[in-house]
Amino acid sequence: KLNKIIEEVQEETPGPRDGNLIFKIYYGTQSGRKPPTFQLFVNNPDLCKSNYKRFLVKKLLKETGLFGVPIKLIFRPRR
């Protein structure tokens, strides 16, 4: 379900860009429960600005029904 949400979010609102580079999330996994922690594997973690991180958190909260629960996002480069 997480990867479906990520796919829909990126289709709706593409990630930030820096020149020719566009921030891209390849896939995500849940790595923790208290608080819910999601690791997102991306092309370049430095491309993701704070406003896009907040946008992703809000979308995940809305789609998963975790309102009022703090969630944590960890961005990791795909290797």
Side-chain angles (χ1 to χ4, degrees), residues 1-3 6 27-41 60 64 66 69-74:
K1 184 174 180 178
L2 174 63
N3 288 308
I6 291 169
Y27 64 97
T29 62
Q30 185 172 355
S31 60
R33 294 180 65 195
K34 292 184 181 182
T37 303
F38 300 98
Q39 289 191 35
L40 303 178
F41 293 86
L60 285 171
T64 58
L66 295 173
V69 177
I71 65 171
K72 184 177 177 183
L73 296 180
I74 300 171

Side-chain angles (χ1 to χ4, degrees), residues 31-51:
S31 60
R33 294 180 65 195
K34 292 184 181 182
T37 303
F38 300 98
Q39 289 191 35
L40 303 178
F41 293 86
V42 302
N43 59 343
N44 186 345
D46 297 331
L47 291 176
C48 188
K49 306 299 181 207
S50 61
N51 59 342

Side-chain angles (χ1 to χ4, degrees), residues 2 5-6 8-10 12-13 25 36 38 40 48-73 75:
L2 174 63
I5 294 169
I6 291 169
E8 290 172 0
V9 166
Q10 288 191 112
E12 178 184 317
T13 307
I25 302 171
F38 300 98
L40 303 178
C48 188
K49 306 299 181 207
S50 61
N51 59 342
Y52 197 70
K53 289 178 186 176
R54 283 192 307 272
F55 168 74
L56 289 171
V57 167
K58 287 181 183 181
K59 281 294 195 178
L60 285 171
L61 289 173
K62 179 181 176 187
E63 295 295 325
T64 58
L66 295 173
F67 294 109
V69 177
I71 65 171
K72 184 177 177 183
L73 296 180
F75 296 93

